[in-house]
Amino acid sequence: MSNREVAAILYEVADLLEIKDVKFKPVAYRRAAHEIETLSEEIGRIAERDGLEEIPGVGTHIATKLREILDTGKLAYLDRMKQEVGPGVRELAGIGGIGPKKAMLLHRELGIDSMENLEAAARAGKIRGLTGFGEKSEQNLLLGIAARKGTAGRSLLGEILPVAETIRTRLAVLPQVRQIRLAGSLRRMKETIGDIDIIVASAEPEPVMAAFVTLPEVSRVLGRGLTKSSIVLASGVQVDLRVVDEGQFWTALLYFTGSKDHNIALRRRALGRGWSLSEYGVKDEATGRNIPGSAEEDLYRMLGLPYIEPELRENTGEIEAAEKGTLPRIVPYDAVKGDLHVHSQWSDGRDSIRDLAETARARGYEYIAICDHSRSAEIDRGLTVEKVVQQRAEIEQLNRESGGIPVLHGVECNINEDGTLDLPSAVLRDFDLVIASIHSRLRMHGDEMTRRLLAAIHNENVDILGHPTGRILLRREPADLDLPAIFETAAAQHVALEINAYPSRLDLSDTNCRKAKEFGVNFSLGSDAHATGDLAQMQLGIATARRGWVTAEEIINTRSLEGLRAWLGG
């Protein structure tokens, strides 16, 4: 089993323990799951050398559970709890605005045991009278249900992209393949993906299709033809391959990249010029002939538009902006000069500061910020005041050594329920930068949660608001917040809003980035890396920024180190 699969079982154990209102254990299981998820080594190999208890957060009890998982592929302890709690309550607990305790309350008081029953009860006004609920709660529940339905059958971009790239690379080496590109929502870098689309240009499709349906990742073949074949991977993800003539590749790539609404808008524009636009080409209706072209840029130029990047193609104003010449120059993938959110062994990271800095240098960064967690109820391995001093000494030593990149001493400080931070101001002011984040009580009432964040933003030591809405994609809805108030205050207080590149966060979302831009906020990009390999996650954060129309000038870590220090001191 992969590390992620093992971690997923432990996360589910933690969720069920919370539903059963068990104290302390959920935190322990989540910590162990997080550690396993970020391991740089396969957990199976660690188990083979009897090293499970060397993993931070894994004691004798959890190690025993891990051995059972690795030996059998399942966990009897989890199966028993599933029977006790029932699938309906587990489903309810995963809907935004509910959580474990409220799920049990709904089940106990109203007999609600499914999302369908919950939706019916909310629409009938039956929930607002329960303790902890109100009319607004019912509205939020309906929004949470809609969001959950919208993500059914989808996977994280960060999980699917490496798989798709592996398949693309295997097919690209075939002599019959002239061009090959990923398409669909994956090329547009949406935060969650339904399936994988691949477009190939070839005059000999049969060998390409034969190689595709016999890839080692294939679980079953849904269909095989000369122009299209579909497979299902062992993970359950569907992959569609389309092979076209090389002369059609440019319009086929545009068409299958989408989005559907963007394509419709382009087709209307083509019709206004007397042309029909399809995956097969651009045809002049008057002559019946195809208009020549070889790249997407040619098509946009024909339509009187500058090239529109795939991440922007959602028909949310990009065509109108392109027409007016107001389309922003979104941040390039190579514009980030340093990672501003990295965890080391000093809190819940896997690797040393030295190893992280060396990996960052190999990635071409000019600097890196180590921002380990402060100690809290959620992060028991976090920094105490004493450890802050020790860590600073290590970073200063590294910075004195030649050949390395500058390491900034930062911290990710937890925002307490009252908006204060869990390190004193006298300590915080000596850091190079301070990220303030919420890791607890994410289901507070919207007014309370907003006041909590606003208080943190007003803290003179805070430079960055980390993963602002606290969402976990496919698992936890964003916190209930007055985002315009957050954006306005962050801009006024010179606090950057983080676009967190961790695959399950990507927070702020693309749509919230666009809204935040209207208030003139600055953004920070951080991988939230917990191991050297996680530094590569930055690509996902940049993609989110691009989808949010964010420019390089609006991101503080596209600046040089001197420019970043100037911003932090501003």
Side-chain angles (χ1 to χ4, degrees):
M1 298 182 72
S2 71
N3 293 353
R4 286 187 183 274
E5 289 171 326
V6 174
I9 291 175
L10 297 190
Y11 278 128
E12 190 170 6
V13 169
D15 291 342
L16 290 175
L17 287 170
E18 273 195 347
I19 290 173
K20 290 166 62 67
D21 202 24
V22 176
K23 306 297 182 185
F24 308 117
K25 281 189 177 182
V27 173
Y29 273 94
R30 283 208 177 88
R31 180 188 169 194
H34 177 75
E35 294 287 351
I36 292 166
E37 194 174 26
T38 57
L39 285 171
S40 56
E41 183 182 6
E42 286 300 318
I43 190 170
R45 293 182 180 178
I46 297 173
E48 287 174 2
R49 65 169 189 269
D50 200 26
L52 290 176
E53 292 183 40
E54 297 171 9
I55 301 172
V58 175
T60 304
H61 177 77
I62 293 181
T64 302
K65 300 287 192 294
L66 290 174
R67 292 187 190 95
E68 180 184 346
I69 293 169
L70 293 169
D71 289 342
T72 67
K74 57 185 180 180
L75 182 61
Y77 179 53
L78 175 60
D79 293 339
R80 287 196 300 272
M81 282 200 293
K82 284 181 177 180
Q83 291 180 349
E84 292 172 13
V85 173
V89 177
R90 299 202 309 274
E91 182 183 29
L92 296 182
I95 297 171
I98 297 184
K101 292 182 180 179
K102 287 185 176 180
M104 287 297 289
L105 176 67
L106 289 166
H107 181 64
R108 186 174 61 250
E109 297 294 329
L110 298 178
I112 295 174
D113 59 2
S114 70
M115 187 163 62
E116 290 72 21
N117 290 344
L118 177 66
E119 184 173 14
R123 294 193 183 282
K126 295 180 179 179
I127 294 174
R128 65 188 63 178
L130 296 179
T131 302
F133 290 94
E135 186 174 350
K136 187 176 180 181
S137 299
E138 285 182 333
Q139 296 170 358
N140 289 336
L141 287 180
L142 291 172
L143 291 174
I145 292 168
R148 178 52 61 95
K149 288 180 178 179
T151 58
R154 299 186 71 82
S155 302
L156 298 178
L157 169 65
E159 293 176 347
I160 297 299
L161 187 58
V163 176
E165 286 289 359
T166 298
I167 294 173
R168 185 194 64 78
T169 300
R170 288 204 174 109
L171 296 178
V173 300
L174 297 175
Q176 297 86 4
V177 172
R178 301 298 300 274
Q179 296 187 69
I180 182 169
R181 297 289 294 274
L182 301 178
S185 57
L186 192 59
R187 187 175 179 226
R188 302 199 314 276
M189 299 294 276
K190 291 196 70 172
E191 59 197 25
T192 61
I193 305 298
D195 52 29
I196 298 171
D197 292 293
I198 304 176
I199 310 298
V200 163
S202 176
E204 303 175 70
E206 178 56 34
V208 179
M209 291 303 186
F212 176 63
V213 299
T214 56
L215 288 167
E217 296 87 355
V218 174
S219 172
R220 58 194 171 100
V221 178
L222 295 179
R224 176 177 174 178
L226 276 179
T227 60
K228 179 185 176 182
S229 292
S230 297
I231 60 175
V232 176
L233 306 179
S235 62
V237 175
Q238 181 173 327
V239 186
D240 296 328
L241 173 67
R242 292 173 174 84
V243 179
V244 300
D245 293 334
E246 194 163 9
Q248 296 174 338
F249 186 78
W250 63 303
T251 48
L253 179 61
L254 178 94
Y255 180 85
F256 289 111
T257 294
S259 67
K260 177 182 177 181
D261 291 338
H262 181 85
N263 287 348
I264 290 172
L266 290 183
R267 288 202 293 272
R268 287 201 196 102
R269 198 171 180 89
L271 288 171
R273 286 163 165 73
W275 307 332
S276 62
L277 170 62
S278 71
E279 65 265 42
Y280 304 109
V282 184
K283 185 171 72 174
D284 187 327
E285 292 296 326
T287 64
R289 297 177 180 175
N290 276 358
I291 300 171
S294 61
E296 289 177 316
E297 289 84 349
D298 297 334
L299 177 59
Y300 283 104
R301 189 163 47 249
M302 290 176 189
L303 297 177
L305 298 170
Y307 179 68
I308 298 177
E309 298 283 355
E311 294 92 337
L312 301 181
R313 300 178 194 174
E314 301 292 347
N315 196 35
T316 56
E318 71 276 7
I319 293 175
E320 294 80 2
E323 190 174 37
K324 296 175 185 175
T326 58
L327 199 64
R329 291 187 60 186
I330 55 177
V331 55
Y333 279 101
D334 61 355
V336 173
K337 290 184 167 60
D339 195 330
L340 296 187
H341 191 160
V342 179
H343 296 280
S344 76
Q345 292 173 336
W346 284 87
S347 63
D348 59 346
R350 293 294 307 164
D351 296 309
S352 69
I353 296 175
R354 182 185 297 276
D355 288 343
L356 290 162
E358 288 178 354
T359 303
R361 180 177 58 177
R363 292 186 59 80
Y365 287 147
E366 297 178 13
Y367 51 84
I368 188 173
I370 299 299
C371 296
D372 278 307
H373 291 282
S374 55
R375 179 166 292 182
S376 63
E378 293 71 35
I379 312 292
D380 63 353
R381 288 177 57 212
L383 298 173
T384 61
V385 174
E386 293 74 21
K387 288 176 69 176
V388 166
V389 176
Q390 296 166 10
Q391 185 185 55
R392 179 171 294 119
E394 179 180 324
I395 290 175
E396 288 175 349
Q397 177 62 35
L398 282 173
N399 285 332
R400 283 193 294 269
E401 297 175 2
S402 59
I405 65 170
V407 177
L408 301 177
H409 190 203
V411 65
E412 184 180 13
C413 217
N414 195 51
I415 302 173
N416 299 320
E417 289 185 32
D418 60 357
T420 59
L421 305 186
D422 57 3
L423 280 175
S425 292
V427 174
L428 291 174
R429 68 170 63 104
D430 290 333
F431 283 100
D432 292 317
L433 77 158
V434 174
I435 300 175
S437 306
I438 289 182
H439 297 98
S440 61
R441 290 289 313 278
L442 277 95
R443 290 291 158 241
M444 290 174 68
H445 187 276
D447 292 342
E448 294 177 332
M449 183 63 87
T450 300
R451 283 195 295 270
R452 183 180 177 186
L453 262 65
L454 291 178
I457 293 171
H458 276 285
N459 187 307
E460 63 180 1
N461 298 297
V462 172
D463 301 298
I464 299 167
L465 183 64
H467 42 76
T469 73
R471 73 172 184 177
I472 301 294
L473 288 167
L474 306 181
R475 285 179 51 206
R476 184 172 71 205
E477 294 300 310
D480 183 12
L481 290 168
D482 181 350
L483 286 175
I486 299 294
F487 299 156
E488 182 178 19
T489 305
Q493 294 298 120
H494 195 66
V495 170
L497 300 180
E498 183 184 52
I499 302 172
N500 186 292
Y502 204 80
S504 59
R505 287 193 183 275
L506 302 186
D507 181 17
L508 285 175
S509 68
D510 51 8
T511 53
N512 284 333
C513 285
R514 284 190 68 177
K515 293 174 185 175
K517 278 170 58 75
E518 298 173 6
F519 292 84
V521 303
N522 286 119
F523 300 92
S524 167
L525 275 166
S527 67
D528 204 349
H530 288 71
T532 54
D534 292 346
L535 292 174
Q537 294 169 174
M538 182 64 78
Q539 176 192 19
L540 306 178
I542 297 173
T544 301
R546 287 167 64 87
R547 287 181 56 83
W549 296 39
V550 178
T551 67
E553 292 73 22
E554 294 167 310
I555 298 172
I556 64 174
N557 47 322
T558 60
R559 294 166 165 81
S560 65
L561 179 58
E562 181 182 1
L564 175 65
R565 288 192 184 279
W567 188 90
L568 291 169

